[in-house]
Amino acid sequence: MRGEDSADLDTRCMTRALELALRGRGGAEPNPLVGCVIADGQSILGEGWHAVFGGAHAEVAALRNCASCPAGCTMYVTLEPCNHYGKTPPCVDAILKASLKRVVVAMADPHEKVAGSGIRRLRDAGVEVQTGVCEAQARKLNAPYLHRLATGCCWVIGKWAMSLDGKIATSSGESRWISNEQSRQIVHELRGRVDGIVVGRGTLERDDPLLTARPAGPRTATRVVLSTSGTIPADSQLLRTARDIPVVVVASTSMRPEQRKQLDAWGCQTLVVDADDASQRWRQMLRSFAGWGWTNLLVEGGARVLGDCLDAGVLNEWHLFLAPRLIGGATAPSPFAGHGVTRLDQSACAPPCEIRRLGDDVYLWGMRESGSESNGLHKRAGSR
């Protein structure tokens, strides 16, 4: 029976594996983020992470990076090793070939092609397997992946910058720039690791955003415009760059056939959503995106889009940039329009968040608690 020192060592090595896993963010999706450490007692022999979709898995990368023979050593991996052929051979094969004595797994992989089979095969082959070390941290790390498996929808990230009095623009619509350069750099980092970036047609017409990451990140996001009629400004930056950086226009069934032909001619893809209310439209859209292999979707606004997102209960993560400004104005928009709630006990319960100073701005980041299959932060009366 291992003592407290061994438990501390397991935690330290798994914590390092979780740090490594984060390096794959933006590259590994739609696969999960996985990190791996191989150790001989307190000595680390090799480290690895799943860096890019279709590339070597974390376990194989760590074995390749070992400074000496790993036979008889311990592997720490943040997610259950796979036991099936996908884009790469089973990781369990590589582990058994390396003659590792012990494998410590943070959490089982609920994917139908894994689902405990990797752990069972290792144990059947005589490898000691321990699970649950740093499991809560591993679930938080892979919350978007777990959410997509559980719900069939991609993970929704809301982002907005606002003044101290809760305004995202002036009454005339001016919003550049409420937040400072440091805050905007965080936004570009977010853009560089997601699959899609969503704005409404109103935001596109008012701000003419390019919606790209500058500098480029590990992933090039598809720009998504919500437009019931399918119409978008012909002189917009999105249209001028649509053949180089993908653009999807989400429209309703009322879109005219000639408008769809025009979007095709501009190089845009069209997604037609057939639903009566915002909640149904969002879920249909998110299921379609997940079916395309998307994991993370960034919603940049405006207020109507963010409000519909909140009303639909699909907001999973949020990034708020609070600037030391007072804007005022009864008609100046706040971050969330939509229907909202009529009683405070129906309001969204945001989980504990991280808070950072970015110059004069304050940056708040939070996400829904992992382990739940519910969609988002907005909990209405009577919902589960």
Side-chain angles (χ1 to χ4, degrees):
M1 181 176 181
R2 277 177 290 277
E4 185 176 355
D5 289 344
S6 295
D8 289 344
L9 176 61
D10 287 350
T11 299
R12 286 197 300 272
C13 288
M14 189 62 77
T15 299
R16 174 58 180 166
L18 289 164
E19 293 172 353
L20 293 168
L22 198 58
R23 296 184 183 183
R25 190 169 60 180
E29 297 91 344
N31 280 352
L33 307 181
V34 184
C36 182
V37 169
I38 298 172
D40 183 5
Q42 296 186 5
S43 300
I44 293 179
L45 302 183
E47 296 182 336
W49 64 93
H50 187 32
V52 62
F53 180 67
H57 287 190
E59 301 93 320
V60 173
L63 287 167
R64 289 175 180 172
N65 292 333
C66 278
S68 59
C69 179
C73 295
T74 299
M75 171 180 284
Y76 298 88
V77 62
T78 58
L79 191 70
E80 176 184 3
C82 64
N83 188 36
H84 66 282
Y85 280 88
K87 289 187 175 294
T88 61
C91 290
V92 171
D93 287 356
I95 294 170
L96 295 177
K97 184 178 180 180
S99 300
L100 292 166
K101 179 181 179 181
R102 180 171 175 251
V103 176
V104 181
V105 179
M107 63 170 290
D109 187 346
H111 195 287
E112 61 182 3
K113 292 184 178 180
V114 187
S117 65
I119 292 173
R120 286 194 299 272
R121 186 176 168 208
L122 289 172
R123 285 176 172 160
D124 290 345
V127 178
E128 179 186 351
V129 180
Q130 181 178 349
T131 62
V133 176
C134 298
E135 181 171 357
Q137 297 92 317
R139 287 189 173 278
K140 183 175 182 179
L141 171 75
N142 270 315
Y145 168 76
L146 298 173
H147 176 78
R148 183 166 54 83
L149 290 184
T151 67
C153 296
C154 53
W155 180 264
V156 178
I157 305 167
K159 163 258 146 182
W160 65 96
M162 72 180 189
S163 62
L164 288 176
D165 56 337
K167 305 295 185 179
I168 61 172
T170 66
S171 57
S172 66
E174 184 183 353
S175 60
R176 294 185 177 180
W177 298 101
I178 289 178
S179 58
N180 64 24
E181 180 62 32
Q182 290 172 272
S183 294
R184 296 197 295 274
Q185 185 56 48
I186 297 291
V187 174
H188 282 287
E189 291 174 6
L190 284 169
R191 288 179 177 179
R193 65 173 177 83
V194 299
D195 297 289
I197 302 170
V198 177
V199 296
R201 190 181 69 180
T203 297
L204 185 66
E205 292 174 343
R206 182 179 62 251
D207 297 339
D208 190 23
L210 187 58
L211 300 180
T212 58
R214 302 181 293 276
R219 188 168 292 258
T220 299
T222 297
R223 287 86 55 84
V224 180
V225 182
L226 307 186
S227 174
T228 301
S229 64
T231 57
I232 59 177
D235 60 347
S236 65
Q237 293 191 86
L238 261 66
L239 278 187
R240 294 200 301 270
T241 58
R243 296 196 180 280
D244 300 315
I245 306 169
V247 173
V248 171
V249 177
V250 180
S252 73
T253 53
S254 63
M255 180 180 62
R256 301 190 312 274
E258 56 267 29
Q259 181 58 33
R260 183 162 192 167
K261 290 180 180 178
Q262 182 63 73
L263 291 172
D264 290 343
W266 281 328
C268 300
Q269 183 177 354
T270 305
L271 174 64
V272 176
V273 176
D274 182 13
D276 295 329
D277 61 64
S279 177
Q280 292 176 346
R281 286 194 297 271
W282 268 98
R283 283 180 169 77
Q284 190 177 133
M285 183 172 66
L286 295 177
R287 283 193 293 269
S288 295
F289 291 156
W292 296 352
W294 292 14
T295 300
N296 294 291
L297 187 72
L298 177 62
V299 179
E300 293 208 16
R304 180 179 176 182
V305 172
L306 282 166
D308 285 347
C309 189
L310 189 66
D311 286 343
V314 298
L315 187 62
N316 304 116
E317 180 180 332
W318 47 271
H319 296 258
L320 162 61
F321 302 91
L322 184 63
R325 299 174 182 269
L326 293 171
I327 293 176
T331 60
S334 62
F336 297 92
H339 298 295
V341 296
T342 57
R343 300 199 316 267
L344 284 177
D345 62 4
Q346 297 175 323
S347 61
C349 296
C353 62
E354 296 184 14
I355 303 175
R356 288 168 53 189
R357 288 293 298 269
L358 298 174
D360 291 334
D361 287 359
V362 177
Y363 170 41
L364 298 92
W365 171 84
M367 59 184 286
R368 71 175 183 84
E369 295 181 3
S370 60
S372 170
E373 295 183 11
S374 63
N375 280 321
L377 300 178
H378 202 165
K379 183 177 182 180
R380 291 175 173 269
S383 65
R384 295 183 64 183

